[in-house]
Amino acid sequence: MKKLLASKKGFFALAVIFLWAKTYFSYKQEFNLDITNAMQEFLLVINPLSASIVFLGLAFLAKGKRMGIWLLVIDFIMSFLLYANVLYYRFFNDFITLPTLKQTDNLSSGMGGSIFGLMQGYDFIYFLDIILLIALYVFTRKNWSIERLAFRKTAMVIISGVALFAVNLGLAEVDRPQLLQRTFDRTYLVKYLGPYNYTIYDAVQNAKTSTQRVMASPSDLSEVTEFTKENYAEPNEKYFGNAEGMNVIKIHLESFQSFLINYKLDGEEVTPFLNSLVNDKQITYFDNFFHQTEQGKTADAELLMDNSLYGLPQGSAFSVKGTNTYQAAPAILNQEQGYTSAVFHGDEKTFWNRDEIYKQFGVDHFFDSTYYNMENSVNYGLKDKPFFEESMPLLESLDQPFYAHMITLTNHYPFTLDPEDATIDKATTGDSTVDNYFQTARYLDEALEQFFNDLKESGMYDNSVILLYGDHYGISTNHNRAMEEITGKEMTDYQNAQMQRVPLMIKAPGLEGGVNHTYGGELDVLPTLEHLLGIDSSKYIQFGTDLLSEEHNGVVGLRNGDFISKDYTVLGDTYYDTATGEIVEDEAKIEEIKKEKEELAKKLSLNDKILYGDLLRFYDPEDWTPVNPRDYDYNNRSESEEK
């Protein structure tokens, strides 16, 4: 045994075993892969081996003792990829894709603190084997042959890894037919293929999509326009044009989930001001409104809200499709009714590539961190209270009517708040993420109340449509134990889906105050707003429908192909009755659900054709002037902005 360990082959075998062991450890410790049978458990055991053998086997191509250096470098890269997925999953409950790697600029704007907050004391395990291998290499390399391993033997090692992958894929196809052809969640791919083979698959898919823009042509639009026209919902005459000419103030409630509304922690309301808005006779609260974001999270929400387009299945369109042609709310409102547009955000302008994609949207003014006193910052940027306070003079400087998008930040993971800003006690579940969440949500609530009072004092409140929305979840399924304690409900897959509700509140003339139970999502907000302002959304390519229309489509399609409606909650191949949470077994209802799934799959496919092919560059609505990004410069302030 000692002689074997002192050889190249023994060194390689030990590296494979170590890499396999820590990958399997990550499956059990970090990832919720939803194992339901013995076949899936067996695949978990074998799927790290094929990639480990193939990639580490490449080290045998090196001559002499350099083989050890090659192997250590390859092992480190694979270990780093595994650990990066561990950290990413701890927050996003998802796996890294190549497009998300283009979002690394976000690290410069505060994500570093969040990453350190995700680390655990036992994480050294993910790199301990490399340290042991380095020590073994140092002490045994003197006994290694200076010759390169025969090519035939190297090829046999790599071929054995490929053969093992073929067996792995064959068994996966037995348990999940058409695994690579059908649209599945990334969790399925990692469960069946492992993180390393999944990364290769992701790279191939990314290469395919990157060529779509070059190959796209105007003829590709015909199916898209036909679909959107067929699914257009006529505006409700009762509301159409009621808010024409009014300012629009859209307020982004970071990571705010609807369960917070009317929630009491130890008998105390967490968000008393937002609770009061639910009962305001001027404001409509949609309590069955869901976020529809994917990996882009906040950026996806902005894309959905301003374009009525889904984000990408992988990565963020803001980052990887930031130079596409868009027909977004700022440009539509400007060209239709002469609106000025502005975004207010107490963070660096480069975060999520906003300084580039806002030009494609036609945003006139971008008030980023350079306009604010950033000494009052925590976590990702400026605290919400000073943010709203310092935004007021900027808001008043805009030519009216204006379309203003205000992005809050304090209620963001890891939900950090200075003790002097906390006005409610933390929860006591023992999960710091969940426990802190209530304090930052209360702080946001107080900041909103202050801002509403300032709007009323300025005289802008009565002449403004005000829209508040939650962008995405704040508490992921990684915190189910604590959330069971908070909600008093078992956090099943069905219950987790229901928890994806985020608030939507709209103040506009003629709306009936109180709670509206219509099912909808972020995709539906733009056509709803357009119709309130008297703009017919039918001339634009938009996949959402007016929430106030009698023809509104109440099927809330999610980016991964699942959907939620008042009748059904569809999660993969499991169908639930939304009202009861019971699994649907009636064949007629199952057929109805399958038709809805097919319709949603078509919508998602067409949406991706638009983004990957940049198809809107070929589409010219009536009286539309394409946005020229060179007309916008967020680097130079005007004299009025300086003041």
Side-chain angles (χ1 to χ4, degrees):
M1 176 62 72
K2 184 176 180 181
K3 184 177 180 181
L4 177 62
L5 289 176
S7 68
K8 291 181 182 179
K9 293 178 182 178
F11 188 68
F12 165 76
L14 196 60
V16 169
I17 292 171
F18 281 155
L19 186 58
W20 166 82
K22 67 184 176 185
T23 305
Y24 187 72
F25 171 81
S26 72
Y27 290 162
K28 295 300 185 180
Q29 178 68 24
E30 310 288 355
F31 307 137
N32 178 18
L33 299 178
D34 191 26
I35 304 302
T36 59
N37 58 48
M39 174 70 81
Q40 293 176 8
E41 186 65 46
F42 177 69
L43 288 171
L44 283 193
V45 174
I46 69 168
N47 68 35
L49 283 175
S50 60
S52 300
I53 292 171
V54 170
F55 290 111
L56 294 179
L58 294 174
F60 283 122
L61 295 173
K63 187 176 181 180
K65 299 175 183 179
R66 284 181 296 178
M67 175 268 183
I69 301 296
W70 278 40
L71 187 143
L72 288 169
V73 170
I74 296 170
D75 195 4
F76 177 80
I77 292 172
M78 296 179 75
S79 298
F80 183 82
L81 174 65
L82 176 65
Y83 186 58
N85 271 294
V86 166
L87 292 179
Y88 193 82
Y89 193 91
R90 284 175 183 170
F91 179 65
F92 291 109
N93 202 41
D94 200 354
F95 297 94
I96 292 174
T97 64
L98 289 183
T100 62
L101 298 179
K102 297 183 180 181
Q103 298 158 200
T104 53
D105 286 346
N106 291 352
L107 290 171
S108 66
S109 297
M111 280 190 78
S114 294
I115 290 174
F116 286 119
L118 293 169
M119 293 180 175
Q120 300 293 334
Y122 60 81
D123 286 359
F124 70 90
I125 290 174
Y126 291 105
F127 297 97
L128 177 62
D129 63 313
I130 294 177
I131 297 173
L132 295 175
L133 287 170
I134 291 173
L136 182 63
Y137 173 68
V138 169
F139 288 109
T140 64
R141 61 180 175 174
K142 61 180 179 295
N143 300 319
W144 289 11
S145 167
I146 62 172
E147 300 299 324
R148 181 185 288 114
L149 188 68
F151 180 77
R152 177 176 58 83
K153 293 182 179 179
T154 301
M156 287 299 296
V157 170
I158 295 173
I159 290 172
S160 67
V162 173
L164 183 58
F165 171 73
V167 172
N168 183 163
L169 182 59
L171 293 175
E173 285 284 343
V174 171
D175 194 65
R176 177 63 67 175
Q178 295 182 301
L179 175 67
L180 302 183
Q181 286 75 41
R182 295 164 61 187
T183 303
F184 285 112
D185 190 280
R186 281 173 288 279
T187 299
Y188 281 105
L189 294 170
V190 173
K191 175 167 67 174
Y192 287 108
L193 304 181
Y196 314 112
N197 292 326
Y198 155 73
T199 300
I200 300 300
Y201 170 82
D202 175 56
V204 172
Q205 293 302 108
N206 191 57
K208 287 181 180 179
T209 58
S210 66
T211 64
Q212 290 186 24
R213 189 183 191 280
V214 177
M215 304 299 292
S217 68
S219 62
D220 295 326
L221 270 171
S222 58
E223 189 178 9
V224 174
T225 54
E226 180 182 350
F227 182 89
T228 55
K229 282 181 170 58
E230 288 178 355
N231 290 275
Y232 171 68
E234 292 283 348
N236 190 324
E237 293 182 2
K238 182 178 179 181
Y239 306 111
F240 186 79
N242 284 1
E244 185 172 352
M246 296 181 70
N247 300 320
V248 177
I249 301 174
K250 184 176 70 175
I251 304 173
H252 174 115
L253 308 180
E254 175 62 44
S255 303
F256 196 101
Q257 290 175 248
S258 292
F259 80 87
L260 288 167
I261 301 295
N262 290 323
Y263 184 86
K264 292 184 178 181
L265 182 65
D266 297 327
E268 185 176 357
E269 287 183 287
V270 177
T271 58
F273 178 67
L274 282 169
N275 297 348
S276 72
L277 296 185
V278 172
N279 300 312
D280 192 308
K281 293 182 179 180
Q282 292 183 292
I283 295 175
T284 296
Y285 168 51
F286 292 85
D287 65 342
N288 289 315
F289 184 78
F290 293 80
H291 80 85
Q292 296 170 288
T293 66
E294 194 37 75
Q295 287 191 323
K297 295 299 184 288
T298 293
D300 278 2
E302 290 190 59
L303 185 78
L304 283 151
M305 298 283 289
D306 269 352
N307 295 271
S308 196
L309 295 174
Y310 285 97
L312 295 171
Q314 298 173 325
S316 164
F318 264 48
S319 298
V320 300
K321 297 297 176 185
T323 59
N324 270 18
T325 298
Y326 294 95
Q327 290 158 10
I332 291 172
L333 269 59
N334 174 264
Q335 297 196 30
E336 293 275 0
Q337 296 184 355
Y339 275 70
T340 301
S341 58
V343 176
F344 301 75
H345 186 44
D347 196 358
E348 294 181 18
K349 63 186 176 183
T350 56
F351 199 79
W352 284 124
N353 195 40
R354 287 186 173 101
D355 59 331
E356 295 300 326
I357 199 167
Y358 282 168
K359 296 174 184 178
Q360 307 293 339
F361 285 8
V363 174
D364 296 311
H365 306 281
F366 183 14
F367 300 111
D368 69 312
S369 59
T370 61
Y371 290 81
Y372 297 94
N373 177 10
M374 296 303 290
E375 292 181 1
N376 294 317
S377 296
V378 66
N379 198 16
Y380 272 70
L382 187 64
K383 296 178 183 179
D384 294 342
K385 288 182 180 179
F387 167 69
F388 282 121
E389 182 180 355
E390 295 178 38
S391 294
M392 277 303 300
L394 299 173
L395 192 66
E396 292 175 311
S397 73
L398 297 176
D399 293 332
Q400 299 189 39
F402 57 71
Y403 176 70
H405 180 198
M406 315 193 76
I407 305 174
T408 64
L409 282 170
T410 307
N411 193 49
H412 194 296
Y413 179 87
F415 310 111
T416 303
L417 193 66
D418 294 328
E420 62 269 21
D421 292 320
T423 58
I424 189 173
D425 291 336
K426 295 180 180 181
T428 56
T429 68
D431 183 321
S432 61
T433 297
V434 174
D435 293 348
N436 294 346
Y437 186 57
F438 297 95
Q439 288 193 331
T440 53
R442 164 64 73 83
Y443 182 83
L444 170 59
D445 186 71
E446 293 171 345
L448 288 169
E449 183 175 20
Q450 164 202 306
F451 181 59
F452 269 58
N453 290 335
D454 290 344
L455 285 175
K456 291 174 181 178
E457 289 182 13
S458 72
M460 287 189 288
Y461 182 82
D462 291 332
N463 190 40
S464 298
V465 173
I466 299 179
L467 190 155
L468 301 97
Y469 75 98
D471 62 338
H472 55 76
Y473 64 78
I475 308 298
S476 74
T477 56
N478 295 324
H479 305 279
N480 277 350
R481 181 205 59 77
M483 287 306 295
E484 287 179 350
E485 187 174 331
I486 291 296
T487 64
K489 299 177 182 178
E490 182 184 359
M491 286 292 117
T492 61
D493 290 343
Y494 162 81
Q495 191 59 44
N496 278 315
Q498 307 311 310
M499 292 292 288
Q500 301 314 301
R501 285 175 171 84
V502 293
L504 174 67
M505 298 181 182
I506 303 177
K507 169 195 167 290
L511 291 187
E512 300 172 4
V515 180
N516 185 313
H517 300 303
T518 298
Y519 274 71
E522 291 162 331
L523 202 68
D524 302 316
V525 173
L526 179 57
T528 305
L529 177 62
E530 288 170 328
H531 290 173
L532 283 170
L533 298 176
I535 300 170
D536 186 357
S537 66
S538 65
K539 63 187 289 188
Y540 302 103
I541 292 177
Q542 297 171 357
F543 286 108
T545 58
D546 183 352
L547 289 163
L548 301 170
S549 170
E550 295 178 358
E551 299 174 359
H552 168 66
N553 182 358
V555 176
V556 186
L558 307 182
R559 177 61 259 195
N560 65 358
D562 295 341
F563 72 79
I564 302 173
S565 70
K566 67 180 180 62
D567 297 317
Y568 309 115
T569 295
V570 175
L571 307 175
D573 295 329
T574 306
Y575 310 151
Y576 301 90
D577 183 299
T578 296
T580 66
E582 298 294 326
I583 293 178
V584 175
E585 296 180 348
D586 182 275
E587 289 299 327
K589 291 180 179 179
I590 289 174
E591 287 304 311
E592 179 185 345
I593 290 170
K594 288 181 177 179
K595 289 179 181 178
E596 290 288 2
K597 286 189 71 174
E598 290 174 2
E599 186 74 1
L600 174 58
K602 182 177 181 180
K603 181 191 291 188
L604 291 169
S605 175
L606 294 175
N607 183 92
D608 293 347
K609 285 183 179 180
I610 290 173
L611 291 177
Y612 287 127
D614 192 13
L615 296 186
L616 292 182
R617 61 192 158 127
F618 303 127
Y619 186 69
D620 294 313
E622 183 181 354
D623 300 323
W624 178 260
T625 301
V627 172
N628 184 352
R630 290 188 294 273
D631 292 340
Y632 305 91
D633 183 2
Y634 305 137
N635 294 315
N636 300 315
R637 303 188 193 182
S638 67
E639 291 183 7
S640 62
E641 290 171 342
E642 288 284 0
K643 294 177 183 177

